[in-house]
Amino acid sequence: MNDLRELYQEVIMDHSRRPRNHGTIEHANRTAHGDNPLCGDKVTVYLDLKGGLVKDIGFDGRGCAISMASASLMTEAVKGRTVEEASRIFEQFHDLVTGEGEVDEEALDKLVVLAGVRDYPVRVKCATLPWHTLTAAINQKEEVISTE
Ligand code: ZN
């Protein structure tokens, strides 16, 4: 179990130091900002949403290692997925970090590295902030981006 914890810790540190899909994306049609004042985490999610599919996703932000790693892992988990798939993954992820409900580790894939968060209730908000921000971006009305 200790080896597993160490491995999980390494993945978290790797993603927080070298976040994947970092920065804005081309053709973003949704953007949302998330704020976790408890810890000082700030996340902006950029989405290219087409026909119910997450074609591309990027994020910007600053905050603790948990929030940044969670955002990075989230972008990898939902890129290329449908909105329904993404929200199902979020439900599973929420259960994982709160320790509630039955967790499907296979569906969560790499996101299981954040399982340890459930022992630190104050960190749950750090881990779920990117996901709440993603949900806000998905639920936005399509923004018409004009170059005029
Ligand atoms: Zn945090």
Side-chain angles (χ1 to χ4, degrees):
M1 194 61 206
N2 270 344
D3 284 355
L4 195 61
R5 285 238 157 176
E6 240 165 73
L7 173 74
Y8 284 4
Q9 200 61 35
E10 265 171 44
V11 176
I12 291 169
M13 289 320 288
D14 177 50
H15 274 265
S16 70
R17 286 188 188 130
R18 299 187 303 115
R20 318 304 196 265
N21 303 302
H22 193 253
T24 183
I25 54 168
E26 248 187 291
H27 313 302
N29 51 21
R30 315 279 171 102
T31 309
H33 305 281
D35 199 354
N36 172 24
L38 266 182
C39 178
D41 309 313
K42 288 184 194 307
V43 174
T44 304
V45 171
Y46 308 97
L47 273 185
D48 178 1
L49 206 63
K50 275 208 185 75
L53 195 77
V54 180
K55 282 191 71 188
D56 202 3
I57 179 168
F59 83 98
D60 254 340
R62 54 189 311 162
C64 66
I66 297 291
S67 64
M68 292 300 105
S70 181
S72 173
L73 287 157
M74 176 189 78
T75 60
E76 284 194 328
V78 304
K79 201 169 176 173
R81 303 278 192 146
T82 65
V83 167
E84 287 80 39
E85 283 168 337
S87 82
R88 251 199 313 272
I89 298 170
F90 181 22
E91 275 171 35
Q92 285 291 310
F93 181 71
H94 193 269
D95 287 349
L96 176 82
V97 296
T98 56
E100 288 163 16
E102 198 85 3
V103 171
D104 178 358
E105 297 212 348
E106 209 164 301
L108 283 166
D109 195 29
K110 260 200 266 176
L111 296 167
V112 296
V113 300
L114 288 159
V117 166
R118 71 167 74 115
D119 298 329
Y120 307 92
V122 97
R123 290 287 183 203
V124 172
K125 281 189 197 249
C126 304
T128 55
L129 173 69
W131 289 91
H132 287 299
T133 312
L134 170 67
T135 305
I138 285 173
N139 293 333
Q140 250 170 31
K141 290 216 171 72
E142 193 128 0
E143 216 175 291
V144 181
I145 296 168
S146 167
T147 52
E148 303 285 305

